[in-house]
């Protein structure tokens, strides 16, 4: 854990460092493949499914991690969650990074399907985790790259659905990243080795 004097020395807490690097790594990994960008576009078009505080913050992290990212569609079960999320996004991000309208904001149990029908490159799945397996399946079938928050499922049936959808995503050439991606990031693993070695 970083002590106060270490935070002052480095200008960033451990939590701030992890938050800043996790989404940046996702975008860098996916955009480096050249398949995330829409044909003829230099912007990554993102949809947010699940507009609570975690989803909203994940959208902010995504947009601020790299240039040319725009939030295009949003979905939540509840109108007040969507309204609160949109207000925070509009107050935090630049106008160029928010391109949602009434036509691309959806509420209800089927709202995720409406987001997935939009012209998007990437979706953030941040609704409550018991919805995650179905949302992942639908996103893969819709041909979207995916960032999903953890936990990815809450029961064995959900885990099996996640595995099936992940195999389909691999066959389709789609990137699927979960909130635990730092455990597998090469540069993060290397940094942890260096910390362990006393560097």
């Amino acid at each position: 854990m970083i002590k106060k004097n270490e935070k002052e020395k480095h200008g960033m807490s451990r939590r701030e460092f992890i938050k800043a690097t996790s989404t940046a790594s996702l975008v860098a990994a996916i955009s480096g493949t050249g398949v995330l960008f829409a044909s003829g576009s230099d912007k990554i078009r993102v949809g947010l499914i699940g507009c609570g505080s975690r989803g909203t913050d994940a959208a902010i992290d995504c947009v601020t991690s790299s240039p040319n990212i725009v939030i295009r569609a949003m979905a939540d079960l509840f109108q007040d969650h969507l309204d609160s999320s949109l207000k925070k996004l509009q107050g935090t991000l630049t106008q160029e990074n928010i391109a949602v309208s009434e036509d691309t904001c959806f509420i209800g149990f089927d709202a995720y399907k409406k987001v997935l029908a939009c012209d998007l490159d990437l979706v953030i799945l941040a609704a409550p985790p018991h919805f995650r397996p179905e949302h992942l399946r639908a996103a893969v079938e819709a041909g979207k790259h995916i960032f999903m928050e953890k936990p990815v499922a809450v029961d064995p049936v959900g885990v099996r659905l996640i595995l099936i959808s992940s195999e389909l995503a691999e066959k389709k050439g789609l990137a699927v990243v979960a909130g635990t991606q730092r455990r597998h990031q090469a540069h993060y693993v290397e940094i942890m080795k260096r910390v362990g070695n006393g560097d």
Side-chain angles (χ1 to χ4, degrees):
M1 201 170 173
I2 294 179
K3 298 173 185 169
K4 282 187 180 180
N5 62 351
E6 291 178 37
K7 180 177 177 180
E8 290 169 5
K9 180 180 173 185
H10 300 292
M12 180 180 286
S13 72
R14 178 180 178 274
R15 180 178 297 263
E16 291 165 341
F17 172 78
I18 289 170
K19 182 179 173 186
T21 59
S22 63
T23 305
S25 297
L26 164 69
V27 173
I30 294 173
S31 62
T33 66
V35 297
L36 185 60
F37 292 102
S39 178
S41 173
D42 64 345
K43 295 205 180 284
I44 299 173
R45 300 160 305 180
V46 178
L48 172 61
I49 299 172
C51 298
S53 61
R54 182 61 239 139
T56 303
D57 289 344
I60 292 169
D61 291 344
C62 181
V63 168
T64 58
S65 69
S66 296
N68 299 319
I69 299 174
V70 61
I71 304 295
R72 295 277 306 264
M74 299 172 66
D76 199 90
L77 185 58
F78 303 106
Q79 183 72 54
D80 61 326
H81 287 187
L82 194 144
D83 292 343
S84 174
S85 178
L86 182 57
K87 182 177 179 181
K88 184 173 181 179
L89 292 175
Q90 290 171 332
T92 306
L93 304 173
T94 65
Q95 199 171 26
E96 294 80 33
N97 298 118
I98 301 288
V100 297
S101 66
E102 286 184 27
D103 294 335
T104 60
C105 287
F106 310 101
I107 58 167
F109 282 105
D110 65 344
Y112 74 99
K113 294 178 183 176
K114 295 174 182 175
V115 164
L116 295 174
C118 293
D119 188 18
L120 303 171
D121 304 301
L122 168 72
V123 291
I124 298 170
L125 304 182
H130 53 276
F131 292 113
R132 195 101 60 241
E134 174 59 25
H135 290 177
L136 176 63
R137 182 194 60 76
V140 170
E141 288 177 354
K144 311 301 184 193
H145 296 282
I146 299 137
F147 173 82
M148 59 181 172
E149 282 296 345
K150 60 185 183 302
V152 298
V154 296
D155 58 28
V157 172
V159 170
R160 285 190 288 276
L161 291 173
I162 292 289
L163 293 173
I164 291 167
S165 295
S166 297
E167 289 172 5
L168 179 59
E170 187 174 356
K171 289 177 185 171
K172 293 178 91 170
L174 298 172
V176 178
V177 178
T180 57
Q181 77 271 14
R182 285 183 306 279
R183 296 177 186 177
H184 308 287
Q185 286 174 233
H187 67 279
Y188 192 87
V189 171
E190 179 62 26
I191 289 170
M192 294 309 297
K193 283 181 187 173
R194 290 181 184 186
V195 169
N197 291 335
D199 295 352

